[in-house]
Amino acid sequence: MSEKTAFRLILAVSAVVFAAVLVLNQKFIPRPEPVPPFAYFLPKLNAVINGACSVLLLTSFYFIRRKRVAVHKALNITTFVLSAVFLVSYATFHWLVSETRFPADNPLRTVYLFILASHIVLAAVVLPLVLISFYRGLTMQTEKHKRIVRWSFPIWLYVTVTGVIVYLMISPYYGF
C-alpha cells in the first residue's frame, strides 16, 4: 500500500469513527427500551480500559527507551486493541443510556467541564495521529514514526488519563 493510500484510509477511518460517535451521541438511532442491564457496567469498564491503556503506554515508552522494539510493538498493539474495545463500549453506552450531567451547583463543575472538553477534543484529534504512528511504526519508517509519536504519545496518554478522571468525577451522579 502506498503512503498516499494509507493516509487516505486513515483519514476515512477517522472521519467515519468521528461521525459514528457524533450520531450515537445525538440519539439519531432509536434507543432500545428498557436499557439492557449490561449497559450500566460500561462506564466502569471504560475507565478500567482507559487506565490500562495509560499504564500500557507508559510501559511501552519505558521499553522503547531501552531499545526493546518487539516489546514496545506488542504493548502498543495491545493498547490499540484495548482502545478499539473502549470505543465500541463508549459508543454503546452513549447510545443506550441517557446522558448524565455534572451538577450545575457543584464547585468543581468548571474543572470538570474543562477536563471533559479537552478530553473530547483531543480524543478526536488523536485517532488519526495514532493511526499514522501505527502505520509508520509497522512499516519501519522509524524517523517518521518518531516525529509523529512526539505528538501522538502525549495526547493519547492525556486522553486515557483524563478518561479515568472524567469517570471518577461523573460516576457519583449516575442515576443507576
Side-chain angles (χ1 to χ4, degrees):
M1 175 184 314
S2 73
E3 189 156 318
K4 189 175 187 177
T5 303
F7 286 130
R8 285 181 178 161
L9 182 60
I10 287 167
L11 289 176
V13 167
S14 299
V16 166
V17 168
F18 184 72
V21 169
L22 284 179
V23 166
L24 287 170
N25 279 339
Q26 296 304 315
K27 311 297 186 242
F28 292 127
I29 300 171
R31 183 183 298 149
E33 293 292 334
V35 174
F38 77 87
Y40 300 117
F41 176 71
L42 295 177
K44 188 176 292 185
L45 174 65
N46 293 342
V48 168
I49 291 171
N50 269 322
C53 287
S54 299
V55 171
L56 288 167
L57 286 169
L58 291 169
T59 306
S60 171
F61 181 72
Y62 170 85
F63 280 106
I64 199 60
R65 291 307 230 182
R66 279 144 190 83
K67 311 272 189 245
R68 304 276 307 275
V69 176
V71 177
H72 168 77
K73 182 178 179 180
L75 288 167
N76 282 330
I77 290 170
T78 303
T79 308
F80 185 82
V81 169
L82 278 176
S83 291
V85 170
F86 164 83
L87 188 57
V88 170
S89 176
Y90 171 87
T92 301
F93 175 75
H94 285 280
W95 169 48
L96 294 174
V97 180
S98 298
E99 181 180 1
T100 300
R101 296 191 181 270
F102 201 83
D105 62 344
N106 189 308
L108 293 176
R109 182 176 169 83
T110 304
V111 172
Y112 171 79
L113 291 175
F114 174 80
I115 294 169
L116 179 63
S118 65
H119 171 81
I120 290 169
V121 168
L122 291 174
V125 167
V126 80
L127 179 59
L129 294 177
V130 167
L131 293 174
I132 292 167
S133 298
F134 264 78
Y135 171 75
R136 289 182 172 165
L138 293 173
T139 57
M140 296 308 292
Q141 298 178 39
T142 308
E143 290 308 312
K144 287 182 176 182
H145 174 74
K146 285 180 184 179
R147 281 196 301 268
I148 194 146
V149 167
R150 286 193 178 118
W151 294 97
S152 62
F153 169 73
I155 296 171
W156 197 4
L157 183 61
Y158 178 86
V159 167
T160 61
V161 170
T162 57
V164 175
I165 293 169
V166 165
Y167 167 76
L168 291 173
M169 291 183 81
I170 195 70
S171 64
Y173 305 106
Y174 285 138
F176 47 86

